[in-house]
């Protein structure tokens, strides 16, 4: 029986992977412009990192983590998100001691969550994320928001909506927490088991419940904005003023709650306005996480970041018919006839590739017609035909597949001739 791919994973094949590469290159270029440097962290960490960093009341920790014991009896977990790992690396490698501050990092890589596979949700998925550590300036909140909005705009997506909220500082959250407990407690038995567990541990997470979102108490729940301290209000107003100055439209939603415990102050999501691709409209989420570095053993350090799914970005591009067309044409296909020409063709293809020219040849002993069909399927811009007669006189026939123009070229001049053709074609 054939071995099947694990549920919730996917093979990204040639023809599709080019879109991934294009998106990733957009991320690399944008982060270069914003002065964010790449970091690569392990795919698995000690489980304690996510218990302390993400929060043991979150769905991720309670239901979705891939956790296992290694042969030494240590509990390890495939990373379900990137912020905790990046923050751990920041502490482990003492990046807070570097001269250039704040520390501005980005990552692109796979994450793992055990959840029911559906459109836009995979058990292995790829995230692009940004983390800025070491600054409590609301201007860097605006910078992170500007970066992610610019990313989607440069992909060509339309109808984007930036939704922001303030979760307040510690005092604000404690006051709001007490109000939420008092609000939900008399009727908490009407809510799901998860919400009942959250009431005392983390009542803010009740507002993020998908099962009970239509319960009447949800609509009358106390707003965090009524409990923001003067400092938190001033901070949130400053973030909004920066976004206004940058001409970045946004919507304030007092009910926006991120699913991870470490968020405070600014929280945000980027959505596609309208039903762009089914029920899932959220493309990206993030926020400020002052206190996370201390939680995992580092010095007092503010931070802010976001993470977005590459898969959802591709779905949005497809829904808006904005997915780019990729030119997969090769420069040159070497057609050979006869054993001696075949041997020489191996050398020619090697020389062309070393000169920076994409080249291919036949490896299936096809006749000339079959080789020309292969060249056509690869959208070769030129074919180089080498038979026994051409080999005898030290020449090859070079054909421009678009114009049909053919030229005899000395074998010794083939590489330089093709370089001129390719470079001239690129300039045009």
């Amino acid at each position: 029986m054939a071995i099947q791919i694990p549920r919730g994973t996917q093979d990204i094949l040639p023809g599709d992977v080019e879109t991934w590469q294009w998106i990733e290159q957009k991320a690399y270029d944008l982060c270069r412009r914003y002065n964010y440097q790449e970091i690569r962290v392990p795919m698995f960490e000690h489980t304690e990192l996510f218990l302390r960093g993400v929060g043991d009341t979150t769905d991720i920790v309670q239901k979705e983590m891939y956790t296992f014991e290694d042969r030494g009896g240590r509990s390890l977990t495939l990373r379900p998100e990137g912020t905790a790992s990046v923050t751990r690396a920041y502490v482990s490698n003492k990046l807070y001691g570097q001269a250039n501050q704040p520390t501005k990092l980005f990552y692109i890589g796979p994450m793992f969550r055990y959840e029911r596979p559906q459109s836009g949700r995979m058990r292995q998925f790829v995230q692009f994320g940004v983390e800025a550590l070491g600054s409590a300036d609301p201007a860097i909140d605006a910078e992170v928001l500007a970066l992610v909005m610019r990313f989607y705009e440069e992909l060509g997506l339309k109808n984007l909506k930036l939704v922001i909220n303030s979760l307040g500082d510690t005092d604000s959250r404690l006051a709001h927490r007490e109000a939420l407990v008092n609000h939900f407690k008399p009727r908490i038995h009407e809510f799901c088991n998860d919400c009942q567990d959250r009431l005392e541990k983390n009542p803010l997470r009740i507002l993020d419940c998908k099962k009970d979102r239509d319960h009447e108490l949800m609509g009358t729940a106390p707003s965090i904005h009524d409990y923001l301290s003067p400092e938190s209000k001033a901070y949130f107003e400053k973030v909004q003023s920066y976004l206004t100055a940058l001409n970045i439209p946004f919507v304030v939603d007092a009910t926006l709650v991120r699913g991870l415990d470490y968020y405070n102050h600014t929280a945000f999501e980027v959505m596609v306005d309208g039903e762009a691709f089914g029920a899932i409209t959220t493309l990206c989420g993030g926020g400020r996480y002052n206190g996370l570095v201390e939680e995992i053993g580092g010095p007092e350090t503010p931070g802010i970041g976001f993470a977005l799914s590459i898969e959802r970005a591709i779905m949005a591009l497809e829904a808006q018919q904005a997915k780019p067309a990729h030119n997969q044409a090769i420069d040159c296909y070497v057609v050979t006839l006869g054993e001696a020409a075949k041997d020489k063709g191996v050398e020619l293809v090697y020389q062309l590739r070393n000169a920076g020219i994409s080249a291919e040849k036949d490896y299936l002993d096809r006749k000339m017609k079959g080789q020309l069909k292969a060249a056509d399927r690869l959208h070769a811009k030129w074919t180089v035909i080498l038979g026994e007669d051409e080999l005898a006189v030290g020449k090859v026939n070079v054909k421009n597949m678009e114009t049909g123009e053919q030229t005899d070229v000395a074998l010794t001049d083939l590489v330089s001739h093709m370089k001129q053709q390719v470079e001239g074609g690129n300039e045009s």
Side-chain angles (χ1 to χ4, degrees), residues 116-381:
R116 185 172 64 86
Q118 55 185 296
S119 179
R121 292 187 183 275
M122 305 290 289
R123 290 178 175 175
Q124 177 179 320
F125 54 98
V126 178
Q127 283 189 342
F128 160 45
V130 155
E131 315 291 350
L133 295 141
S135 173
D137 188 338
I140 206 161
D141 297 40
E143 176 181 281
V144 168
L145 291 164
L147 191 159
V148 70
M149 294 303 290
R150 188 63 189 166
F151 172 75
Y152 286 121
E153 289 166 1
E154 293 194 1
L155 292 186
L157 286 174
K158 309 293 183 184
N159 301 322
L160 297 167
K161 181 168 70 173
L162 172 62
V163 182
I164 64 173
N165 190 23
S166 174
L167 301 179
D169 55 19
T170 301
D171 291 340
S172 305
R173 292 189 67 167
L174 286 174
H176 186 227
R177 181 189 185 283
E178 183 179 358
L180 287 173
V181 171
N182 293 334
H183 177 74
F184 287 112
K185 193 170 186 177
R187 297 174 62 183
I188 193 63
H189 61 278
E190 299 174 12
F191 287 74
C192 68
N193 290 334
D194 287 339
C195 285
Q196 293 180 37
D197 290 340
R198 292 165 180 158
L199 180 66
E200 298 297 338
K201 294 179 180 178
N202 189 355
L204 190 66
R205 293 279 291 115
I206 296 176
L207 300 178
D208 199 35
C209 180
K210 302 298 186 291
K211 292 181 181 177
D212 295 318
R213 59 186 172 188
D214 295 326
H215 194 287
E216 62 176 312
L217 288 185
M218 289 294 204
T220 59
S223 169
I224 181 65
H225 290 184
D226 294 332
Y227 296 88
L228 290 179
S229 66
E231 294 79 10
S232 293
K233 285 183 179 179
Y235 192 97
F236 192 43
E237 288 170 359
K238 194 66 175 175
V239 172
Q240 295 177 69
S241 71
Y242 282 130
L243 292 175
T244 301
L246 297 175
N247 293 317
I248 298 175
F250 62 90
V251 175
V252 176
D253 182 354
T255 67
L256 175 65
V257 178
R258 297 295 303 143
L260 307 179
D261 284 358
Y262 50 61
Y263 286 115
N264 47 57
H265 283 296
T266 309
F268 61 90
E269 291 184 352
V270 180
M271 304 177 180
V272 172
D273 200 10
E275 296 183 3
F277 47 100
I280 300 172
T281 59
T282 301
L283 297 175
C284 166
R288 182 162 280 282
Y289 47 83
N290 302 348
L292 178 59
V293 175
E294 299 95 293
E295 179 64 33
I296 61 174
E300 183 177 347
T301 307
I304 185 171
F306 69 76
L308 63 86
S309 163
I310 302 294
E311 287 88 345
R312 290 197 189 189
I314 292 174
M315 289 176 66
L317 288 168
E318 291 174 342
Q320 296 189 4
Q321 299 182 332
K323 188 176 177 181
H326 302 287
N327 180 11
Q328 300 177 47
I330 65 168
D331 294 324
C332 177
Y333 193 99
V334 177
V335 177
T336 58
L337 304 170
E339 200 63 30
K342 176 182 174 182
D343 293 344
K344 186 64 177 178
V346 171
E347 297 176 30
L348 292 179
V349 168
Y350 176 77
Q351 293 167 0
L352 289 165
R353 290 167 175 169
N354 285 352
I357 298 165
S358 59
E360 188 56 279
K361 67 176 294 295
D362 174 60
Y363 293 99
L364 298 178
D365 287 327
R366 284 174 284 208
K367 303 296 184 183
M368 183 175 181
K369 184 177 180 181
Q371 293 183 55
L372 289 173
K373 284 185 177 180
D376 189 55
R377 286 193 297 270
L378 292 170
H379 306 290
K381 299 174 186 175

Side-chain angles (χ1 to χ4, degrees), residues 64-110:
E64 298 173 1
M65 294 203 311
Y66 279 95
T67 298
F68 60 96
E69 275 195 5
D70 69 4
R71 293 184 179 183
R74 292 170 288 260
S75 180
L76 301 173
T77 296
L78 297 178
R79 62 186 187 200
E81 56 94 51
T83 300
S85 291
V86 171
T87 305
R88 192 271 313 147
Y90 174 83
V91 174
S92 299
N93 297 282
K94 297 182 171 60
L95 298 183
Y96 49 80
Q98 292 184 344
N100 292 328
Q101 295 295 332
T103 302
K104 297 163 62 173
L105 305 168
F106 79 94
Y107 59 87
I108 300 175

